[in-house]
Amino acid sequence: MKGKIKRILLFSMVFAAMLLSGCSNTGNIEQNTIVIKKDGAVLGAIIEDFGDSKYVSEELKAMLEEEIAAYNAQAGEDKVVLETYEITEDKKVKIYLEYASVADYAGFNEQTLFAGTVSEAYEAGYEFVDMENVTGEGASMGKSDVLEKGAMKMVIFQEPVHVRVNGKISYVSSGVTVEGKKEAATNDEEDIIDLFYLIYE
């Protein structure tokens, strides 16, 4: 999950535990998801089990809005917008944040996120890795061969999260599982150190 928002959620849940101890479009998004849009914008969806912490949901929302306001003030315009904030009937917190660009997502959440062509990723200094053909047809690509896909689109990310793209996923790196033509997810829910890669067209 997004680093900065994760810290806000954890703080709110701890606060809720103390409080309770003194008291007698994205449609069909069901998990933490990054949606890479065709126009370069990003939707970040966070869906977490919130338990009884709904009692301090307004405190959580206020902290999130404060973080957004601080980022936008530094940026000089509204680069991050809170689109949805709700506590569902099954006690989950659902947050949708709209980011003006991939860079704004990365900056706000303090996480690596790249979206562009393979050539642009290379020019940005990313190290390529071996990648598997998601159809199972043909050999996997060695990292030295990835650059030959220069015009295809690539997403590089760091978090244990689902990623949706506006195209058909063709190759993924180790640790990434394809879940439909346009969506993939990491298969490791622990803290992530290495980067994950996917190529689509």
Side-chain angles (χ1 to χ4, degrees), residues 4 6-7 10 13 16 33-34 37 41 44 53 57 61 69 77 87 99 114 126 138 151 157 201:
K4 182 174 294 185
K6 183 175 182 179
R7 292 196 295 272
L10 287 174
M13 291 175 184
T33 303
I34 300 170
K37 298 187 175 181
S53 300
S57 62
K61 185 179 180 182
E77 56 183 306
I87 305 298
Y99 302 87
F114 169 87
Y126 285 100
F157 59 105
E201 55 187 336

Side-chain angles (χ1 to χ4, degrees), residues 37-187:
K37 298 187 175 181
K38 188 176 182 179
D39 63 0
V42 176
L43 174 71
I46 302 167
I47 302 176
E48 292 287 333
D49 187 359
F50 208 49
D52 289 328
S53 300
K54 65 183 180 181
Y55 293 110
V56 290
S57 62
E58 290 306 311
E59 285 82 354
L60 169 59
K61 185 179 180 182
M63 284 189 287
L64 182 55
E65 289 175 335
E66 183 178 346
E67 292 282 354
I68 292 171
Y71 182 88
N72 288 336
Q74 185 175 19
E77 56 183 306
D78 289 347
K79 295 289 190 176
V80 182
V81 176
L82 179 60
E83 294 286 355
T84 298
Y85 179 95
E86 83 176 277
I87 305 298
T88 65
E89 291 183 358
D90 56 349
K91 297 182 179 180
K92 292 182 183 294
V93 60
K94 179 182 289 187
I95 301 170
Y96 288 177
L97 290 169
E98 185 79 29
Y99 302 87
S101 68
V102 169
D104 291 307
Y105 178 96
F108 182 80
N109 292 292
E110 301 171 354
Q111 293 282 344
T112 297
L113 180 65
F114 169 87
T117 66
V118 172
S119 293
E120 288 168 342
Y122 179 78
E123 291 169 2
Y126 285 100
E127 295 283 343
F128 292 152
V129 297
D130 295 346
M131 302 187 72
E132 297 291 332
N133 187 323
V134 301
T135 66
E137 299 176 0
S140 59
M141 285 195 301
K143 57 185 178 182
S144 60
D145 300 318
V146 175
L147 190 56
E148 295 181 6
K149 305 294 183 181
M152 294 183 71
K153 297 177 182 178
M154 172 176 274
V155 177
I156 304 171
F157 59 105
Q158 185 178 8
E159 307 164 80
V161 68
H162 285 241
V163 175
R164 289 186 184 180
V165 296
N166 186 43
K168 182 180 178 181
I169 298 173
S170 300
Y171 299 91
V172 296
S173 64
S174 176
V176 180
T177 301
V178 176
E179 300 185 354
K181 292 181 179 180
K182 298 183 178 183
E183 184 166 337
T186 64
N187 52 31

Side-chain angles (χ1 to χ4, degrees), residues 24-38:
S24 337
N25 104 38
T26 53
N28 72 337
I29 294 179
E30 300 296 337
Q31 56 276 311
N32 297 333
T33 303
I34 300 170
V35 181
I36 308 295
K37 298 187 175 181
K38 188 176 182 179

